[in-house]
């Protein structure tokens, strides 16, 4: 059995699981930013929906430690979509590759997806021909992501269960 039971169209701001349009065996998890008919653009790191800037407010930096033990600070913002959904985004590079884009016009039956870690997200800003996601058709949606079940540190392999005591990100379980 495959497919959705009692499925409904996603809302702006939902975090969803979907199958990659160019490879329907790969699942991605991203946030729904653009709905069919929307105009999406990034200008100087600010998200625009239908030619209106999405409000974002600077909050405390996200702080992590690199492999050498050095503290790294990443700018963090609270973004609030037109329907009131609010969430945090990271901006590692204020002049990142996808911080200034053309206007994306979301076709009928498709959605525009973005990751919250904006400078480290292969999402709809990157066309499939360049290894990105592009627009996602409704039929590729699996469902809404509700919880984080398990996560390991970047570069580690989740299937190496004997390493979990050291590689699991316990704060994300």
């Amino acid at each position: 059995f495959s497919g959705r039971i009692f499925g409904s169209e996603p809302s702006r701001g939902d975090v969803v699981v979907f199958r990659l349009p160019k490879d329907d065996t790969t699942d991605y998890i991203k946030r729904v930013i653009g709905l069919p008919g929307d105009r999406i653009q990034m200008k100087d790191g600010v998200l625009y929906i239908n030619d209106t800037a999405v409000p974002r407010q600077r909050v405390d930096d996200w702080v992590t430690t690199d492999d050498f033990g050095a503290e790294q600070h990443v700018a963090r913002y609270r973004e609030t979509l037109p329907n009131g959904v609010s969430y945090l985004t990271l901006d590692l590079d204020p002049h990142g590759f996808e911080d200034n884009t053309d206007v994306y016009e979301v076709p009928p039956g498709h959605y525009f997806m973005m990751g919250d870690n904006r400078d480290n997200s292969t999402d709809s800003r990157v066309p499939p021909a360049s290894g990105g996601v592009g627009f996602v058709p409704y039929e590729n949606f699996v469902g809404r992501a509700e919880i984080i079940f398990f996560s390991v540190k970047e570069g580690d392999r989740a299937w190496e269960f004997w390493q979990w005591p050291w590689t699991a990100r316990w704060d994300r379980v």
Side-chain angles (χ1 to χ4, degrees):
F1 177 80
S2 67
R4 294 178 299 276
I5 299 175
F6 304 119
S8 61
E9 292 187 14
S11 298
R12 191 185 317 276
D14 284 351
V15 177
V16 299
V17 178
F18 61 93
R19 297 229 161 73
L20 195 59
K22 68 177 181 173
D23 170 16
D24 68 359
T25 63
T26 303
D27 289 340
Y28 268 47
I29 298 178
K30 303 285 179 196
R31 187 175 302 279
V32 175
I33 296 295
L35 304 176
D38 280 347
R39 295 168 42 85
I40 307 297
Q41 185 175 23
M42 294 292 293
K43 295 181 191 177
D44 296 322
V46 176
L47 172 63
Y48 283 74
I49 299 176
N50 298 323
D51 304 314
T52 301
V54 171
R56 74 177 193 162
Q57 175 187 7
R58 180 71 190 261
V59 297
D60 292 339
D61 286 353
W62 180 68
V63 181
T64 188
T65 305
D66 68 17
D67 293 336
F68 303 105
E71 220 174 62
Q72 182 181 15
H73 291 256
V74 179
R76 192 165 53 165
Y77 296 88
R78 176 162 300 284
E79 225 172 52
T80 304
L81 295 172
N83 62 349
V85 173
S86 183
Y87 52 89
L88 296 173
T89 64
L90 297 178
D91 189 7
L92 179 62
D93 180 359
H95 305 289
F97 184 69
E98 299 297 331
D99 281 349
N100 288 290
T101 68
D102 292 332
V103 174
Y104 301 96
E105 294 187 24
V106 185
H110 290 73
Y111 296 83
F112 192 90
M113 314 300 292
M114 288 181 74
D116 294 343
N117 186 350
R118 296 288 164 79
D119 294 323
N120 191 20
S121 180
T122 302
D123 53 35
S124 292
R125 295 174 292 171
V126 182
S130 299
V133 173
F135 301 115
V136 177
Y138 175 70
E139 57 268 12
N140 283 47
F141 282 76
V142 175
R144 193 169 58 222
E146 297 288 339
I147 61 171
I148 296 172
F149 177 71
F150 189 78
S151 177
V152 295
K153 294 177 185 171
E154 186 175 342
D156 290 323
R157 297 176 186 94
W159 59 266
E160 291 179 341
F161 61 89
W162 58 90
Q163 298 289 335
W164 287 356
W166 302 277
T167 62
R169 295 192 288 181
W170 297 109
D171 60 322
R172 295 195 62 180
V173 173

